[in-house]
Amino acid sequence: MSPRLLIVDDSSLIRRAIQRALGETRFSEIRSAGNGAEALRVFKTYPAEIITMDITMPEIDGISCVETMIQLRPSSRILVVSALADQATAIEAMTRGAEGFLLKPFTPEELCEAIDDLLQD
Amino acid sequence: MKEQHLKTFVSGVSGYFEHFTAQPAEVHAPYIDDQPPRLLDYTAVIGISGGYQGCVYFTAGTPLLQELLARAGETGAADADSLADAAGEVANTISGNARGELGAGFTISVPSRLRGQPADFARPPSVPAFVIPISWQGHRSELVVCLR
């Protein structure tokens, strides 16, 4: 069965861009959330196998979301998609449980490659 | 603000347009603006805290943002929310990328999105505003950096 995807980003433009890039073929279902608090609410009833996670968001930031989601469902795989280019942020995200980091701005090809890496591992 | 900081944002602007649109922007010489701010149709403001204080904002006209949305794959007429969102994403991405050189002490807020010229908009007092003029596909925009 195809995995489910949860897209978390406070920009509706980025949420739509990710959904368009990944299309309908890789996932059985795609849902999205516009901030960290909404993401955690959605995740409790929709524990997606794959998550794309922004970091700088209102209410609850992406790093905290990563940690909570991995505690709730350790087998979920999280790709952080963020503009924050410092190494410390990437290391912290990975330490909390993310498995990939894609820097904005990204092309659809770069996103697909990063997601395929998560799906294949 | 040191010259090196300004170079970080100038190269950030170039990198954004080149990577996202595959068409480079013309980034003109920055200058200090001591006049009241003149905002274009849509503006996104990123508050800066931590080791730095101030803000970074991107202001652009509707045609440029419509073109960016089209490049992102958006189809149909762009509404005001989408145009403001596009400005926000430019400001957020360039500011976030700047952390690569300025470090994690350069803490950025989520974007505040403005439309038109709000009467209560003001730059941080006593902080010089460096304007980086941008031309892309015949459209003008500006990144303004006010950092202490």
Side-chain angles (χ1 to χ4, degrees):
Chain A
M1 183 178 165
S2 299
R4 296 165 293 183
L5 173 67
L6 175 59
I7 301 167
V8 186
D9 200 298
D10 62 334
S11 164
S12 59
L13 173 64
I14 294 295
R15 294 197 300 272
R16 291 194 298 272
I18 291 174
Q19 182 153 2
R20 270 195 305 274
L22 297 176
E24 303 296 328
T25 57
R26 290 176 176 82
F27 300 100
S28 60
E29 188 175 355
I30 299 176
R31 294 190 194 178
S32 62
N35 61 59
E38 183 188 1
L40 293 178
R41 280 196 301 273
V42 170
F43 189 71
K44 284 175 183 166
T45 57
Y46 176 77
E49 287 77 21
I50 301 289
I51 299 145
T52 67
M53 178 68 68
D54 188 16
I55 291 182
T56 307
M57 292 186 293
E59 298 191 48
I60 299 174
D61 68 81
I63 297 276
S64 301
C65 275
V66 167
E67 186 166 42
T68 303
M69 287 176 169
I70 291 300
Q71 285 170 355
L72 290 170
R73 189 178 191 279
S75 61
S76 287
R77 317 195 80 174
I78 301 177
L79 173 69
V80 169
V81 181
S82 172
L84 301 181
D86 59 297
Q87 204 173 26
T89 298
I91 290 171
E92 184 171 8
M94 306 296 251
T95 303
R96 304 282 187 102
E99 294 193 39
F101 192 101
L102 179 63
L103 188 65
K104 295 177 182 175
F106 58 84
T107 64
E109 293 76 20
E110 289 166 339
L111 174 65
C112 290
E113 189 176 331
I115 287 290
D116 288 341
D117 282 348
L118 281 192
L119 290 171
Q120 285 166 12
D121 281 348
Chain B
M1 188 169 71
K2 294 177 183 171
E3 185 182 352
Q4 185 56 42
H5 295 154
L6 200 53
K7 285 182 179 172
T8 296
F9 288 97
V10 169
S11 63
V13 169
S14 298
Y16 179 85
F17 282 94
E18 193 152 346
H19 195 89
F20 184 65
T21 72
Q23 286 179 310
E26 191 177 349
V27 183
H28 304 279
Y31 62 91
I32 294 179
D33 186 14
D34 56 6
Q35 299 298 309
R38 299 168 308 280
L39 303 183
L40 301 173
D41 297 339
Y42 292 89
T43 300
V45 186
I46 306 288
I48 307 299
S49 58
Y52 300 81
Q53 303 289 323
C55 71
V56 174
Y57 64 87
F58 176 73
T59 187
T62 299
L64 181 143
L65 297 170
Q66 286 173 325
E67 183 71 25
L68 280 180
L69 287 170
R71 300 296 176 100
E74 297 281 310
T75 55
D79 59 20
D81 285 346
S82 296
L83 294 166
D85 207 8
E89 204 48 38
V90 176
N92 174 66
T93 302
I94 293 171
S95 300
N97 286 180
R99 275 171 59 119
E101 294 192 27
L102 302 183
F106 183 77
T107 304
I108 68 171
S109 72
V110 296
S112 296
R113 299 171 175 98
L114 310 176
R115 189 175 180 187
Q117 180 89 44
D120 59 350
F121 176 79
R123 294 172 182 148
S126 308
V127 180
F130 287 87
V131 177
I132 302 173
I134 306 159
S135 300
W136 178 75
Q137 299 296 294
H139 305 302
R140 183 173 71 94
S141 62
E142 292 176 347
L143 186 80
V144 181
V145 183
C146 310
L147 278 187
R148 180 166 47 209

